[in-house]
Amino acid sequence: MTEPTKLPPEIDTSVAHSARVWNYWLGGKDNFPADQQAGDAYRDKYPLIEQFARESRDFLRRTVSHLARDAKIRQFLDLGAGLPTANNTHEVAQRIAPESRVVYVDHDPLVLLHVHAMRTSTPEGATAYVLADMRDTDAVLEGAARTLDMTRPVALVINDVLGHIVDWDDALSLVRRLVEKLPSGSYLALSHSTASDEEHRKVQEEYNNSGAIPYIFREPEVTVAFFEGLELVEPGFVSWPNWRPDSTTDRTTVRAGWGAVARIP
C-alpha cells in the first residue's frame, strides 16, 4: 500500500492556495477542500472563470507548439510553473521535438512536492526544476544554465503569473532583466490576465482580500510594454483566444487575458 504524501509544515491545507484553486478550475487533483470551496465561491459569483483558466492554458499550448514547431526552438525557460496539469510546457515541446530541454522555475514549496511530475522527459531531451523566486533573475539564470545552453536561443515562457507581482515597475523590470540576458534569436512568450468586466474585477478584489495570494489585473494597454523593443510574431499582442486559434479554441470570450510571442533581436 502506497503511503500518502506527507506535506511539509509550511503548507496549510486549511487555507485556500491560488495554485491549488487554479488546479481545481482546470480539473486537476492537486487541491483540497479549502481550495475547492474558494474556487466554487469565485465561480458562483463569476461563472466564466473556469473558461478563462482553460483559455490561459490553451494559450500556453499554442505558443509553445509554435515555438517548437515553427520557430525551431529547443530550449524553454518557464517561470512560475505552478502545479502540473495537462499540456505542461515540456510535454507540448517534446511531443513536437523530443530533444527539447525545459527548465521550470518556482519558489512555492507546494510545487516542489510535485517536481517529479515536472522532471519527466523524453530520453533525447531534458526537464529540470529550479527552486527560486522568479524576481531573483540571477538565481533563475544560474539555475537554468545547468540544463540549458544560454549561448543559444531560449524561449522564455511567462504564462499568466506576473499579476502576482503587485508593483507594476517590478514586474516590468523582471521581464526586461531576463530578456536582456538572453541571446539574439531567443523568444518571449508572455500572457497576463485582465478584467473582462467590472463584475470580474469586483470578484477578484474580494478574492485578493480573502487572505489568498493576490493577483492584480492589468489592462492590455499597459502590459503590451513587456514587448517593447522586441519583434512581435503574428498576430501580435491579442486576447488569448485570438492568438493563432485552432479547432479546439473557444472564441466566444475575448477579454480573459492578452498575450503574445516575440523574437528577441
Side-chain angles (χ1 to χ4, degrees), residues 34-247:
D35 311 305
Q36 297 159 16
Q37 292 168 10
D40 288 343
Y42 196 121
R43 183 189 56 208
D44 289 345
K45 295 176 182 177
Y46 202 80
L48 282 174
I49 189 60
E50 287 188 342
Q51 179 179 334
F52 290 173
R54 292 192 298 269
E55 287 176 358
S56 174
R57 198 66 181 183
D58 200 42
F59 176 84
L60 173 69
R61 176 185 61 81
R62 297 196 310 277
T63 53
V64 172
S65 294
H66 165 76
L67 289 164
R69 181 184 60 244
D70 303 323
K72 308 300 182 186
I73 294 295
R74 299 295 180 261
Q75 301 192 115
F76 296 81
L77 177 57
D78 187 332
L79 267 69
L83 292 172
T85 55
N87 287 318
N88 300 297
T89 296
H90 72 284
E91 294 171 330
V92 176
Q94 291 178 350
R95 277 200 297 266
I96 296 168
E99 68 275 25
S100 296
R101 304 177 72 83
V102 179
V103 172
Y104 293 100
V105 177
D106 209 297
H107 74 293
D108 192 324
L110 176 68
V111 176
L112 184 60
L113 287 177
H114 300 271
V115 70
H116 62 280
M118 296 303 221
R119 280 182 173 165
T120 59
S121 175
T122 56
E124 304 95 325
T127 308
Y129 182 89
V130 174
L131 181 63
D133 189 319
M134 61 183 174
R135 290 169 293 190
D136 187 350
T137 53
D138 289 339
V140 168
L141 293 170
E142 180 181 342
R146 292 195 288 268
T147 302
L148 308 180
D149 180 352
M150 303 303 288
T151 68
R152 300 177 63 82
V154 174
L156 175 61
V157 178
I158 312 177
N159 195 58
D160 201 22
V161 296
L162 292 173
H164 291 304
I165 299 178
V166 174
D167 185 87
W168 163 245
D169 289 335
D170 287 348
L172 184 61
S173 174
L174 178 159
V175 174
R176 290 184 172 170
R177 291 197 309 272
L178 289 172
V179 165
E180 288 172 358
K181 296 291 186 178
L182 296 180
S184 175
S186 294
Y187 284 81
L188 171 66
L190 182 149
S191 74
H192 199 298
S193 286
T194 187
S196 58
D197 52 43
E198 283 307 309
E199 184 61 24
H200 189 194
R201 188 180 301 280
K202 178 182 177 182
V203 174
Q204 184 64 37
E205 288 176 354
E206 291 176 359
Y207 178 84
N208 290 348
N209 292 330
S210 71
I213 299 172
Y215 186 102
I216 306 302
F217 288 143
R218 296 185 175 106
E219 294 304 302
E221 295 82 10
V222 173
T223 52
V224 69
F226 287 123
F227 299 95
E228 185 176 341
L230 308 183
E231 301 167 356
L232 285 170
V233 172
E234 289 294 331
F237 186 59
V238 296
S239 61
W240 291 333
N242 285 327
W243 199 91
R244 302 197 177 199
D246 56 25
S247 60

